[in-house]
Amino acid sequence: MTIETRNGDIGTRVRVLGLAAARGLALALVTLPGAVLGFTLAVVSIALVPIGVGLVTTPWVLTGVRAFADWRRVLAAEWGGVRIPSAYRPAPEDANPWSRTFGMLRDPATWRDLRWLPVDMTVGFVTALLPAVLVFYPLEGLAVAAGLWRPLAESGGYWYGFVRVADQTSALAAGALGIALLALTPLTPRLLTFHFRLTRAVLGAGQGELAERVRVLTETRRDAVDTSAAELRRIERDLHDGAQARLVAMGMDLGTIEMLLDKDPAQAKRLLAQARQSSVDALAELRDLVRGIHPPVLAERGLGDAVRALALRMPIPTEVSVDLPGRADAPVESAAYFAVSEALTNAVKHSGADRIWIDLHHVREGAGMLRITVTDNGRGGAVVAAGSGLAGVERRLGTFDGVLAVSSPAGGPTMVTMEIPCA
């Protein structure tokens, strides 16, 4: 190995150590005030939620905390090669403060952020500062041994580590301690990586959350299977009790008509009119049954027009606003349609409202989100309880990894917000 190669290796190592120390120092200077400020504001804002002030401030504060955490995720990836996925649920931007605040507070990632901030301002601060200490503090010991001890000693004494510097001998001891600390400087990049891994351990999703995610997916899959089986039983029952019975009766009438054509033409004519009406009724029932499985307008013209057609059949004046750039997958459109239908049914039956508003739009977050809001000016008090229509909507959306948020204070209005990932 040539002298130039050795010098190049030494220069590279010095640059690596210096860069790690500078990054650690910059992190330490930002970590402590940023974490303290974010944690303090978050705790105070959440504490003020019961009196209403926190409903306004909490979304802004938590958004700032998320921005701070996301910035640290970027630094972890760029400076330490440690990737920390960001898994925040999309906040309902168009919802009222109540829904937006509690939507963010129900997000497990929010509580991971709040657990991470105290760790970041303590252990995180120390682990970020250590790389700078290991690089710069030994240089101070060497400077003390070189003569800096004199003005320091004259000012009343000075401690370097565990060595009290008062004369040249103690200054040389401080220099020896500095040289010993220099031997630890190769650990500087590893300490910085440890800092980012600590951040990932606290800020990243844990095994418990992944297990909860698997449990929820298992439940939603089971709900989807149960719902599908119940739907098949409903179709069989409706066919047996409705269209099938009418078709059987129409066949019997046609047989009777065939025998009466020559004997009693008038009676045969009456039975023929009755058979024709039975065929009309059977056809109408079959159309209703098909519409309940998958409305033709949904398949032909998409979710927006299908919801507009649904609104026209409502006994309450219903306004529909649609802003969709294209069409989602057929299963997503079907789930969204029947979720809207159930929400409208609940509003008509229980809200006492005289007006309903429906808003459908696409949110460009990640892979895209279909967001639907059904609002009525009724009496309020709607809850997602077991056996309720809204609980059924929540199960239907959960099959597609969708979410349901309900804001329904006493006295109204009621706002039901549904979100379904488009991909």
mmCIF file of all heavy atoms in Angstrom, residues 209-227:
data_model
loop_
_atom_site.group_PDB
_atom_site.id
_atom_site.type_symbol
_atom_site.label_atom_id
_atom_site.label_comp_id
_atom_site.label_asym_id
_atom_site.label_seq_id
_atom_site.Cartn_x
_atom_site.Cartn_y
_atom_site.Cartn_z
ATOM 1 N N GLU A 209 -48.865 -3.869 16.921
ATOM 2 C CA GLU A 209 -49.750 -3.216 15.960
ATOM 3 C C GLU A 209 -49.935 -4.079 14.719
ATOM 4 O O GLU A 209 -51.026 -4.145 14.151
ATOM 5 C CB GLU A 209 -49.184 -1.852 15.585
ATOM 6 C CG GLU A 209 -50.101 -1.064 14.674
ATOM 7 C CD GLU A 209 -49.600 0.346 14.430
ATOM 8 O OE1 GLU A 209 -48.737 0.805 15.192
ATOM 9 O OE2 GLU A 209 -50.085 0.975 13.476
ATOM 10 N N LEU A 210 -48.855 -4.741 14.284
ATOM 11 C CA LEU A 210 -49.000 -5.631 13.132
ATOM 12 C C LEU A 210 -49.944 -6.781 13.451
ATOM 13 O O LEU A 210 -50.747 -7.188 12.609
ATOM 14 C CB LEU A 210 -47.619 -6.163 12.724
ATOM 15 C CG LEU A 210 -46.639 -5.120 12.166
ATOM 16 C CD1 LEU A 210 -45.290 -5.768 11.874
ATOM 17 C CD2 LEU A 210 -47.194 -4.485 10.890
ATOM 18 N N ALA A 211 -49.848 -7.309 14.678
ATOM 19 C CA ALA A 211 -50.755 -8.378 15.081
ATOM 20 C C ALA A 211 -52.198 -7.880 15.111
ATOM 21 O O ALA A 211 -53.129 -8.583 14.706
ATOM 22 C CB ALA A 211 -50.355 -8.918 16.452
ATOM 23 N N GLU A 212 -52.384 -6.642 15.596
ATOM 24 C CA GLU A 212 -53.724 -6.060 15.602
ATOM 25 C C GLU A 212 -54.232 -5.889 14.184
ATOM 26 O O GLU A 212 -55.413 -6.105 13.891
ATOM 27 C CB GLU A 212 -53.688 -4.714 16.324
ATOM 28 C CG GLU A 212 -54.992 -3.944 16.312
ATOM 29 C CD GLU A 212 -56.092 -4.616 17.115
ATOM 30 O OE1 GLU A 212 -55.789 -5.547 17.885
ATOM 31 O OE2 GLU A 212 -57.256 -4.211 16.960
ATOM 32 N N ARG A 213 -53.335 -5.506 13.280
ATOM 33 C CA ARG A 213 -53.712 -5.330 11.878
ATOM 34 C C ARG A 213 -54.168 -6.665 11.276
ATOM 35 O O ARG A 213 -55.172 -6.730 10.561
ATOM 36 C CB ARG A 213 -52.521 -4.781 11.098
ATOM 37 C CG ARG A 213 -52.759 -4.652 9.618
ATOM 38 C CD ARG A 213 -53.716 -3.546 9.337
ATOM 39 N NE ARG A 213 -53.876 -3.363 7.901
ATOM 40 C CZ ARG A 213 -55.014 -3.052 7.328
ATOM 41 N NH1 ARG A 213 -56.092 -2.880 8.060
ATOM 42 N NH2 ARG A 213 -55.087 -2.892 6.031
ATOM 43 N N VAL A 214 -53.437 -7.736 11.586
ATOM 44 C CA VAL A 214 -53.821 -9.065 11.091
ATOM 45 C C VAL A 214 -55.180 -9.466 11.660
ATOM 46 O O VAL A 214 -56.031 -10.026 10.963
ATOM 47 C CB VAL A 214 -52.737 -10.095 11.466
ATOM 48 C CG1 VAL A 214 -53.219 -11.501 11.166
ATOM 49 C CG2 VAL A 214 -51.450 -9.812 10.704
ATOM 50 N N ARG A 215 -55.394 -9.148 12.949
ATOM 51 C CA ARG A 215 -56.671 -9.495 13.572
ATOM 52 C C ARG A 215 -57.829 -8.760 12.894
ATOM 53 O O ARG A 215 -58.874 -9.355 12.602
ATOM 54 C CB ARG A 215 -56.634 -9.141 15.061
ATOM 55 C CG ARG A 215 -57.894 -9.546 15.828
ATOM 56 C CD ARG A 215 -57.893 -8.960 17.221
ATOM 57 N NE ARG A 215 -58.000 -7.507 17.190
ATOM 58 C CZ ARG A 215 -59.152 -6.864 16.997
ATOM 59 N NH1 ARG A 215 -60.276 -7.537 16.821
ATOM 60 N NH2 ARG A 215 -59.183 -5.550 16.974
ATOM 61 N N VAL A 216 -57.633 -7.467 12.629
ATOM 62 C CA VAL A 216 -58.688 -6.690 11.983
ATOM 63 C C VAL A 216 -58.974 -7.221 10.581
ATOM 64 O O VAL A 216 -60.131 -7.353 10.172
ATOM 65 C CB VAL A 216 -58.288 -5.204 11.928
ATOM 66 C CG1 VAL A 216 -59.265 -4.416 11.062
ATOM 67 C CG2 VAL A 216 -58.246 -4.616 13.330
ATOM 68 N N LEU A 217 -57.911 -7.548 9.834
ATOM 69 C CA LEU A 217 -58.116 -8.082 8.483
ATOM 70 C C LEU A 217 -58.826 -9.424 8.529
ATOM 71 O O LEU A 217 -59.669 -9.725 7.673
ATOM 72 C CB LEU A 217 -56.764 -8.218 7.777
ATOM 73 C CG LEU A 217 -56.086 -6.904 7.366
ATOM 74 C CD1 LEU A 217 -54.720 -7.182 6.782
ATOM 75 C CD2 LEU A 217 -56.942 -6.149 6.360
ATOM 76 N N THR A 218 -58.494 -10.244 9.525
ATOM 77 C CA THR A 218 -59.178 -11.529 9.670
ATOM 78 C C THR A 218 -60.656 -11.324 9.956
ATOM 79 O O THR A 218 -61.518 -12.012 9.384
ATOM 80 C CB THR A 218 -58.524 -12.342 10.800
ATOM 81 O OG1 THR A 218 -57.133 -12.529 10.505
ATOM 82 C CG2 THR A 218 -59.193 -13.695 10.941
ATOM 83 N N GLU A 219 -60.969 -10.371 10.841
ATOM 84 C CA GLU A 219 -62.363 -10.103 11.159
ATOM 85 C C GLU A 219 -63.122 -9.561 9.960
ATOM 86 O O GLU A 219 -64.255 -9.966 9.701
ATOM 87 C CB GLU A 219 -62.448 -9.113 12.325
ATOM 88 C CG GLU A 219 -62.037 -9.709 13.671
ATOM 89 C CD GLU A 219 -62.240 -8.728 14.800
ATOM 90 O OE1 GLU A 219 -62.664 -7.584 14.518
ATOM 91 O OE2 GLU A 219 -61.984 -9.092 15.951
ATOM 92 N N THR A 220 -62.508 -8.635 9.232
ATOM 93 C CA THR A 220 -63.199 -8.072 8.071
ATOM 94 C C THR A 220 -63.392 -9.120 6.982
ATOM 95 O O THR A 220 -64.410 -9.113 6.291
ATOM 96 C CB THR A 220 -62.424 -6.872 7.508
ATOM 97 O OG1 THR A 220 -61.079 -7.263 7.204
ATOM 98 C CG2 THR A 220 -62.377 -5.738 8.514
ATOM 99 N N ARG A 221 -62.430 -10.034 6.856
ATOM 100 C CA ARG A 221 -62.609 -11.114 5.874
ATOM 101 C C ARG A 221 -63.766 -12.004 6.297
ATOM 102 O O ARG A 221 -64.600 -12.410 5.469
ATOM 103 C CB ARG A 221 -61.325 -11.926 5.754
ATOM 104 C CG ARG A 221 -61.407 -13.023 4.695
ATOM 105 C CD ARG A 221 -60.128 -13.834 4.664
ATOM 106 N NE ARG A 221 -59.893 -14.520 5.925
ATOM 107 C CZ ARG A 221 -58.823 -15.267 6.181
ATOM 108 N NH1 ARG A 221 -57.884 -15.401 5.266
ATOM 109 N NH2 ARG A 221 -58.682 -15.860 7.347
ATOM 110 N N ARG A 222 -63.841 -12.318 7.594
ATOM 111 C CA ARG A 222 -64.944 -13.140 8.076
ATOM 112 C C ARG A 222 -66.278 -12.424 7.894
ATOM 113 O O ARG A 222 -67.280 -13.029 7.507
ATOM 114 C CB ARG A 222 -64.714 -13.477 9.548
ATOM 115 C CG ARG A 222 -65.784 -14.412 10.127
ATOM 116 C CD ARG A 222 -65.398 -14.935 11.501
ATOM 117 N NE ARG A 222 -65.202 -13.846 12.450
ATOM 118 C CZ ARG A 222 -64.022 -13.539 12.972
ATOM 119 N NH1 ARG A 222 -62.953 -14.211 12.615
ATOM 120 N NH2 ARG A 222 -63.910 -12.547 13.835
ATOM 121 N N ASP A 223 -66.283 -11.100 8.156
ATOM 122 C CA ASP A 223 -67.506 -10.332 7.949
ATOM 123 C C ASP A 223 -67.912 -10.349 6.485
ATOM 124 O O ASP A 223 -69.103 -10.423 6.160
ATOM 125 C CB ASP A 223 -67.300 -8.883 8.406
ATOM 126 C CG ASP A 223 -67.209 -8.771 9.919
ATOM 127 O OD1 ASP A 223 -67.689 -9.689 10.604
ATOM 128 O OD2 ASP A 223 -66.648 -7.765 10.406
ATOM 129 N N ALA A 224 -66.917 -10.255 5.589
ATOM 130 C CA ALA A 224 -67.233 -10.271 4.158
ATOM 131 C C ALA A 224 -67.845 -11.599 3.752
ATOM 132 O O ALA A 224 -68.816 -11.644 2.989
ATOM 133 C CB ALA A 224 -65.968 -9.995 3.349
ATOM 134 N N VAL A 225 -67.283 -12.699 4.280
ATOM 135 C CA VAL A 225 -67.836 -14.025 3.977
ATOM 136 C C VAL A 225 -69.251 -14.150 4.526
ATOM 137 O O VAL A 225 -70.168 -14.637 3.854
ATOM 138 C CB VAL A 225 -66.917 -15.122 4.538
ATOM 139 C CG1 VAL A 225 -67.568 -16.490 4.387
ATOM 140 C CG2 VAL A 225 -65.572 -15.103 3.828
ATOM 141 N N ASP A 226 -69.467 -13.711 5.774
ATOM 142 C CA ASP A 226 -70.800 -13.788 6.380
ATOM 143 C C ASP A 226 -71.798 -12.923 5.614
ATOM 144 O O ASP A 226 -72.942 -13.325 5.391
ATOM 145 C CB ASP A 226 -70.740 -13.348 7.843
ATOM 146 C CG ASP A 226 -69.929 -14.312 8.709
ATOM 147 O OD1 ASP A 226 -69.711 -15.449 8.261
ATOM 148 O OD2 ASP A 226 -69.514 -13.908 9.813
ATOM 149 N N THR A 227 -71.358 -11.722 5.220
ATOM 150 C CA THR A 227 -72.246 -10.838 4.475
ATOM 151 C C THR A 227 -72.613 -11.441 3.127
ATOM 152 O O THR A 227 -73.766 -11.365 2.689
ATOM 153 C CB THR A 227 -71.575 -9.467 4.266
ATOM 154 O OG1 THR A 227 -71.269 -8.903 5.539
ATOM 155 C CG2 THR A 227 -72.479 -8.526 3.506
#
